[in-house]
């Protein structure tokens, strides 16, 4: 017995596909749960436990650079210590992210740094940042996923985005990296479906 149910009817799926071919970041759904096809890049970084803070520092540096690239304001940020989503600018969000990462390292916990430009992390973003620095006793795989705005990219920003991604690769030296399109929420804590890798 399956408890799964379709989010979209077959007719809605057909319309979603048709509209997405015309405008790749066309959104469909319900308030707080709009879905669209989003381009993304994900980096998988292997590191030893003692390199936790080095990886966190690189993720925070990329977070700061990402914030200078995006053309839409971030609306939601994830507070790693309490595992809750806050409105961007909320005073409860840590101002010293390196101190926050250090706290999680000392507690032998994963450090999360996530944000979206949507009102809900359950909606497909135009822009999102999702990083997790993992901690275990033997080996760690930490991840960084960036969702970027298709229209911004097509509007003369290809070289700027490519340079940014190449800088990320040089800094992180990932074991693996994937780029493609997906339907979902940008990897912000809920499983998503990749449609092209």
């Amino acid at each position: 017995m399956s408890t799964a149910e379709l989010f979209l009817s077959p007719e809605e799926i057909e319309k979603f596909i048709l509209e997405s071919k015309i405008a790749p970041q066309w959104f469909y759904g319900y308030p707080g749960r709009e879905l669209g096809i989003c381009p993304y890049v994900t980096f998988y970084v292997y590191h030893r436990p003692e390199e936790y803070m080095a990886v966190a520092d690189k993720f925070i540096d990329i977070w700061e650079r990402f914030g200078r690239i995006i053309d839409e304001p971030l609306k939601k940020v994830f507070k790693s210590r309490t595992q809750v989503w806050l409105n961007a600018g909320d005073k409860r969000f840590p101002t010293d992210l390196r101190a926050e990462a250090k706290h999680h390292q000392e507690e032998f916990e994963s450090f999360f740094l996530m944000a979206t430009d949507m009102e809900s992390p359950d909606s497909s973003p135009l822009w999102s940042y999702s990083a997790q620095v993992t901690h275990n006793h033997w080996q760690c795989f930490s991840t960084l996923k960036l969702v970027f705005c298709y229209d911004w990219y097509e509007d003369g920003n290809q070289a700027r985005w490519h340079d940014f991604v190449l800088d990320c690769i040089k800094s992180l030296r990932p074991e693996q990296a994937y780029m493609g399109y997906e339907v979902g929420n940008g990897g912000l804590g809920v499983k998503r479906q990749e449609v092209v890798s």
Side-chain angles (χ1 to χ4, degrees):
M1 177 177 173
S2 174
T3 58
E5 62 183 70
L6 286 177
F7 177 70
L8 302 175
S9 70
E11 295 80 23
E12 290 171 320
I13 292 170
E14 187 175 321
K15 183 178 179 186
F16 180 84
I17 292 168
L18 178 66
E19 293 293 340
S20 294
K21 287 179 179 180
I22 297 167
Q25 267 189 310
W26 185 77
F27 290 86
Y28 186 85
Y30 308 102
R33 188 70 172 116
E34 297 88 1
L35 298 178
I37 295 176
C38 306
Y40 73 94
V41 59
T42 304
F43 305 101
Y44 295 87
V45 181
Y46 170 79
H47 59 93
R48 295 184 303 275
E50 59 269 19
E51 296 171 313
Y52 181 104
M53 280 307 298
V55 172
D57 282 338
K58 290 175 184 179
F59 283 0
I60 293 167
D61 288 342
I62 293 169
W63 159 270
E64 291 167 352
R65 289 191 58 208
F66 185 74
R68 292 190 295 271
I69 287 177
I70 64 175
D71 66 344
E72 293 289 327
L74 295 173
K75 293 181 181 170
K76 293 286 185 185
V77 292
F78 187 78
K79 185 175 179 185
S80 187
R81 199 176 296 212
T82 57
Q83 307 261 315
V84 297
W85 284 95
L86 304 171
N87 291 325
D90 191 303
K91 293 180 194 258
R92 294 174 290 173
F93 188 73
T95 55
D96 187 343
L97 294 173
R98 286 172 174 80
E100 191 68 12
K102 185 71 175 159
H103 165 81
H104 288 287
Q105 179 194 33
E106 291 169 353
E107 296 295 319
F108 302 98
E109 298 171 341
S110 292
F111 169 61
F112 296 92
L113 184 54
M114 299 188 290
T116 179
D117 67 337
M118 297 309 233
E119 292 292 338
S120 167
D122 293 332
S123 292
S124 297
L126 292 173
W127 295 97
S128 75
Y129 182 101
S130 180
Q132 177 182 4
V133 183
T134 59
H135 195 299
N136 72 38
H137 299 292
W138 302 281
Q139 61 184 359
C140 305
F141 265 104
S142 293
T143 59
L144 170 61
K145 180 178 179 185
L146 307 169
V147 172
F148 57 101
C149 180
Y150 180 85
D151 287 340
W152 173 87
Y153 177 81
E154 288 293 310
D155 194 25
N157 290 298
Q158 295 98 340
R160 186 176 182 195
W161 182 254
H162 294 172
D163 289 344
F164 176 68
V165 171
L166 286 173
D167 286 346
C168 290
I169 291 169
K170 288 176 189 173
S171 171
L172 298 173
R173 303 183 57 79
E175 289 291 311
Q176 299 174 44
Y178 297 95
M179 201 177 248
Y181 293 89
E182 69 176 9
V183 175
N185 70 345
L188 301 170
V190 178
K191 293 186 188 250
R192 85 277 184 220
Q193 295 297 319
E194 295 177 4
V195 292
V196 179
S197 316

